[in-house]
Amino acid sequence: MISKINSAKQDPKKKEKEEKKKAAQERVKAKAESEATEGEAKAEDEEKKGTDEGHHQIPPGLVAENYPSCSGYIQIAKRAHDLTLSDNFNLFIIGCICLAGVLVGIQTYDDNEWVPMKDRSFFVFLEGVDIVILIIFSLEVILKIFAEGAKPWRYWVGPEWNWNNFDFFIVILSLPDGPMTMISSGEGGGSQVKLLRLMRLMRIAKIVRKVPQLQMIVMGLIGGMKSIGYIVLLLFLVFYLFAIAGIMWFRENDPWHFRSLGQ
């Protein structure tokens, strides 16, 4: 009887200890799960940030530890990399692109349409400004190649190879003694001028790369070309079916307009 009373007294204490122990274990488990969730969220944020700002990552050719013999060159290349990613540099290039677009528009005027075009000095001034813009674009390409550090070929095959190749070929084809000049040399001076003006016009498209919103729209349009092809196929089927149905229904009443598919 006495043992039963003692055990009855000890049971509440034992249960209380077990409950406290279980509560402590649950708190530790909840804390561990919370830390794991925060770690996963942080990792996802870092991955997303790396994906959205992949062009801000340091290129492999700028890791000085991998090229100890070229540490001085790597340091200068890092400065070039920081310069090409700076906002002021990009705004300056956008300004040059806009100025190039204005020059292309001015050059469409005839001598009789605009008085300043009759002045030889004004024409020389425009050519000088155009050469300066070409030099600036050429320096931009050189800086970006130099910014790849010990792996300059990544400018053509790296993450932004499509836009880099576009900029590179636009600069090469815009050179006064470049490939376009040699191609058009046997076709007369007028053809050469037209081709050079066409290349100058293509330089305006560089602004798509400098404005992220425009770049997003262009890439979206390119990605949607496959869907557009299916839409065109669907429209063709609809027009084809209704054309045949119209011929079958209205040929007797209006043979002039509903003679055949070709007429």
Side-chain angles (χ1 to χ4, degrees), residues 83-84 86-98 210:
L83 175 62
T84 55
S86 64
D87 294 336
N88 293 332
F89 181 81
N90 289 324
L91 289 175
F92 176 71
I93 295 298
I94 290 175
C96 292
I97 295 172
C98 294
K210 297 299 178 181

Side-chain angles (χ1 to χ4, degrees), residues 206-219:
K206 284 167 60 69
I207 198 171
V208 175
R209 178 181 184 177
K210 297 299 178 181
V211 181
Q213 290 80 2
L214 291 177
Q215 185 175 347
M216 188 182 302
I217 293 172
V218 171
M219 297 307 293

Side-chain angles (χ1 to χ4, degrees), residues 9-10 25 38 40-41 62 69 75 78 106 116-117 120 126 129 142 155 168 170-171 174 200 228 247 256 259:
K9 291 180 179 179
Q10 290 176 358
Q25 291 177 352
E38 290 178 358
E40 292 177 357
L62 293 181
S69 60
Q75 292 298 325
K78 284 183 178 180
I106 292 176
M117 293 299 291
R120 178 64 183 174
L126 293 180
V129 174
I142 293 172
Y155 176 83
F168 179 77
I170 288 298
V171 169
S174 299
R200 292 170 181 173
I228 293 175
I247 292 173
W256 178 258
R259 187 181 309 171

Side-chain angles (χ1 to χ4, degrees), residues 143-201:
L143 282 173
K144 289 188 175 181
I145 295 174
F146 189 58
E148 295 294 339
K151 296 183 178 181
W153 59 85
R154 292 187 77 254
Y155 176 83
W156 292 279
V157 298
E160 296 186 351
W161 64 271
N162 46 2
W163 294 107
N164 288 340
N165 285 317
F166 175 77
D167 291 346
F168 179 77
F169 285 112
I170 288 298
V171 169
I172 294 298
L173 295 176
S174 299
L175 294 175
D177 295 326
M180 297 304 295
T181 304
M182 292 186 289
I183 292 174
S184 60
S185 59
E187 301 179 5
S191 177
Q192 178 179 341
V193 172
K194 290 180 180 178
L195 288 174
L196 286 176
R197 286 183 177 178
L198 179 62
M199 290 302 102
R200 292 170 181 173
L201 181 63

Side-chain angles (χ1 to χ4, degrees), residues 32 54 56 63 74 76-77 81 84 86 96 102 105 118 121 124 126 131 140 160 178 185 251 261:
H56 292 289
V63 181
I74 297 298
I76 299 175
H81 180 261
T84 55
S86 64
C96 292
V102 173
K118 298 180 180 179
S121 60
V124 173
L126 293 180
I131 291 174
E140 179 194 10
E160 296 186 351
S185 59
R251 176 184 286 176
L261 287 177

Side-chain angles (χ1 to χ4, degrees), residues 15 22 28 44 56 86 93 107 119 123 128 130 136 139 154 158 196 201 230 233 244 259:
K15 288 183 179 179
K22 188 182 292 185
V28 172
E44 290 178 358
H56 292 289
S86 64
I93 295 298
Q107 291 172 355
D119 190 359
F123 180 78
D130 189 78
I136 292 172
L139 290 176
R154 292 187 77 254
L196 286 176
L201 181 63
Y230 288 118
L233 178 60
I244 295 177
R259 187 181 309 171

